[in-house]
Amino acid sequence: MEYTDEPMGEVKIVSDFLPSPEELVLKDETVKVTIALSKVSVDFFKKEAKKHNTQYQKMIRRLLDEYAAHQA
């Protein structure tokens, strides 16, 4: 990809509201779903979950919960 000096238009800065991996280990009511995720994403969460002695699925769920909470 080649970048140019073209104008970008109006830029909106979005605050970082996503939780750190350490904050993704809480318990909540759940609903089972089936989803296909990229191998890169799953490998990242498995590695982080192992560091924090938790399940990677819980961390992914917490991340999605935080994202949804900030969309209202």
Side-chain angles (χ1 to χ4, degrees), residues 7-70:
M8 292 175 49
E10 187 176 336
V11 177
K12 178 180 178 186
I13 297 176
V14 178
S15 63
D16 183 10
F17 60 85
L18 295 176
S20 68
E22 294 84 6
E23 297 172 296
L24 299 175
V25 294
L26 304 175
K27 288 190 174 188
D28 285 318
E29 180 182 0
T30 62
V31 176
K32 293 230 180 228
V33 299
T34 302
I35 185 172
L37 302 172
S38 71
K39 183 176 181 345
V40 172
S41 293
V42 173
D43 288 347
F44 168 81
F45 281 102
K46 283 183 176 182
K47 181 178 137 196
E48 290 299 317
K50 188 173 185 178
K51 280 193 225 176
H52 300 286
N53 196 32
T54 191
Q55 296 175 348
Y56 73 95
Q57 297 96 328
K58 287 181 181 181
M59 294 178 75
I60 294 169
R61 182 171 49 248
R62 184 79 175 125
L63 177 68
L64 293 172
D65 289 345
E66 285 293 321
Y67 179 83
H70 283 84

